[in-house]
Amino acid sequence: MRIFRTDKIFQHCDRISEWFQGGNPYPITVEIDLTDKCNLACKHCAGSFYDTKPKNELSLRQAVSIIGQLRECHVRGLIFTGGGEPTLNPALPDAIGYAKELGLDVALITNGIKIGKIASSIINKCSWVRVSLDASNPVDYKEFKGKWAFSDAVEGIKSLVDAKRSKKSSCTIGVGYLTSMDSAEGMVRATKLCKTLGVDYIQFRPFRIRGERIEPLVGYATVLSEQTKKFMVLYSESQYKRSLEPRGYDKCYGQQFATTICADYKCYVCCHLRHNPKYCLGDLNIHSFAEIWNDERRQEIVDNIAWKDCVYPCRCDPFNLELWKLKQSVEHKNFL
């Protein structure tokens, strides 16, 4: 099970070909924030970086409208995420169900605290669900996430696993763990816990604060020994290594294939730039998603992305590396 392959984009050669020939293909994946509200108070929350007190929330009518427009634009994958905590919006189960009915591939990222109430209703509709745990005990959880809710998150994970087993679902259930010099020592405990809970994987990713260097991953070799055929121990290798390397490209091409729609009913270049007015592509209260995507204004915005505004390495970094190579001229192309 290689879930986090960086070459996934080449599974969509039709979109890449259209883009390579100068076209403007619609994105493959869209992230959608149903709400800006959250039941945690995480340190350095990325969801509210540009807006410290967002209170937006999509209604079911708005969510259905967005999902319908994305389907018409042949978007293939839809991730319900945040922003805020998606399970706090009562429209989430119906929105997930509607997206699934339209044929979209659906996923959910949640903190898991409230997931138990809807686990059974969504488990057969999502391709994958990831719970952001980021700690191995209640004290570390409180320190990192601002609330005493570790046991609630663990119970949420159990609810998902139980629902998957009872419904014989193929949904992949994972746990996310952000690493830093403060949290790295809990990796072994968290891995053993997740293995016991019966999830499919635990994934380690770097905790990124804008402007600061990513710390190297410590202790991965130890937790890797817990891996089995049914339980994977994963980490985003490129995110740790790339922080010490130059970008290797001059333009962000990855934004062509993945974008973000927030709870303020606006589209943004990517998840890292949500709520930044400089990178707002358009307002769905005024224009349709198709109109926003094909507007010259969008192209002007993406052509003027400033690296100083971006985290590095970012979500699009692995795609940018590959797409940049494609855009470069090749001599003697018929001699392999």
Side-chain angles (χ1 to χ4, degrees):
M1 180 171 59
R2 295 182 62 194
I3 303 171
F4 302 101
R5 291 175 51 162
T6 58
D7 60 354
K8 270 187 183 180
I9 195 167
F10 292 113
Q11 298 295 313
H12 305 276
C13 292
D14 55 336
R15 299 287 172 94
I16 295 176
S17 178
E18 182 182 351
W19 165 79
F20 188 75
Q21 295 176 44
N24 182 39
Y26 289 111
I28 296 164
T29 304
V30 172
E31 297 187 14
I32 183 170
D33 302 345
L34 288 184
T35 183
D36 288 327
K37 300 174 183 177
C38 193
N39 46 7
L40 292 175
C42 301
K43 285 184 175 180
H44 309 288
C45 174
S48 60
F49 182 82
Y50 290 104
D51 187 352
T52 57
K53 295 181 179 179
K55 297 180 180 179
N56 306 292
E57 186 166 273
L58 297 179
S59 66
L60 179 58
R61 178 188 61 80
Q62 290 175 315
V64 165
S65 174
I66 292 172
I67 294 167
Q69 292 180 59
L70 297 179
R71 179 64 184 87
E72 289 177 0
C73 293
H74 305 290
V75 168
R76 293 170 178 169
L78 182 60
I79 304 174
F80 291 90
T81 180
E85 167 53 36
T87 59
L88 295 185
N89 189 326
L92 177 64
D94 288 335
I96 287 177
Y98 183 66
K100 183 66 174 179
E101 286 177 11
L102 292 186
L104 287 165
D105 216 355
V106 185
L108 171 65
I109 299 175
T110 171
N111 61 33
I113 295 173
K114 298 290 185 181
I115 195 67
K117 296 179 180 179
I118 62 171
S120 293
S121 65
I122 68 168
I123 198 68
N124 280 332
K125 298 180 178 70
C126 291
S127 294
W128 56 268
V129 178
R130 186 168 75 234
V131 177
S132 303
L133 189 62
D134 306 320
S136 62
N137 61 73
V139 175
D140 288 349
Y141 192 92
K142 169 63 167 62
E143 174 64 23
F144 190 62
K145 292 180 171 288
K147 298 287 181 67
W148 292 101
F150 180 77
S151 60
D152 295 322
V154 171
E155 286 303 313
I157 296 170
K158 289 180 181 177
S159 297
L160 286 167
V161 173
D162 289 344
K164 174 176 179 174
R165 289 171 177 169
S166 66
K167 292 183 176 292
K168 298 181 180 179
S169 170
S170 61
C171 176
T172 302
I173 300 172
V175 169
Y177 188 107
L178 297 176
T179 66
S180 67
M181 295 307 291
D182 296 327
S183 65
E185 65 180 29
M187 287 171 59
V188 175
R189 291 193 299 269
T191 300
K192 290 182 177 180
L193 170 63
C194 291
K195 187 176 181 180
T196 301
L197 291 174
V199 301
D200 296 298
Y201 71 87
I202 183 170
Q203 182 203 17
F204 297 103
R205 294 181 298 131
F207 173 47
R208 290 175 291 196
I209 303 175
R210 291 170 186 270
E212 293 190 10
R213 186 178 70 85
I214 292 174
E215 296 291 345
L217 184 63
V218 178
Y220 183 72
T222 303
V223 297
L224 192 60
S225 64
E226 297 292 331
Q227 183 166 283
T228 67
K229 289 184 178 180
K230 294 184 177 180
F231 175 71
M232 302 294 290
V233 179
L234 309 171
Y235 80 110
S236 301
E237 181 179 11
S238 64
Q239 292 190 2
Y240 290 95
K241 290 184 176 181
R242 291 282 294 154
S243 66
L244 305 175
E245 302 173 352
R247 287 185 182 272
Y249 49 84
D250 293 337
K251 293 190 69 175
C252 180
Y253 291 136
Q255 49 72 33
Q256 181 72 50
F257 303 97
T259 196
T260 298
I261 298 175
C262 292
D264 58 3
Y265 219 46
K266 295 177 181 177
C267 303
Y268 294 86
V269 168
C270 76
C271 58
H272 302 297
L273 298 171
R274 53 162 58 92
H275 296 306
N276 184 337
K278 179 179 176 182
Y279 296 103
C280 177
L281 302 177
D283 190 334
L284 287 164
N285 284 303
I286 303 172
H287 301 288
S288 69
F289 182 79
E291 289 172 334
I292 291 171
W293 198 255
N294 291 301
D295 192 354
E296 291 182 0
R297 179 176 176 275
R298 172 181 160 267
Q299 195 58 55
E300 291 175 3
I301 292 172
V302 299
D303 284 343
N304 290 284
I305 292 174
W307 295 136
K308 65 180 180 61
D309 296 328
C310 303
V311 297
Y312 176 69
C314 66
R315 185 189 193 288
C316 290
D317 180 66
F319 308 143
N320 283 329
L321 284 171
E322 300 300 330
L323 296 173
W324 179 258
K325 294 175 186 176
L326 286 179
K327 279 290 187 179
Q328 307 312 301
S329 60
V330 178
E331 293 184 0
H332 311 304
K333 66 180 181 179
N334 295 325
F335 295 91
L336 303 179

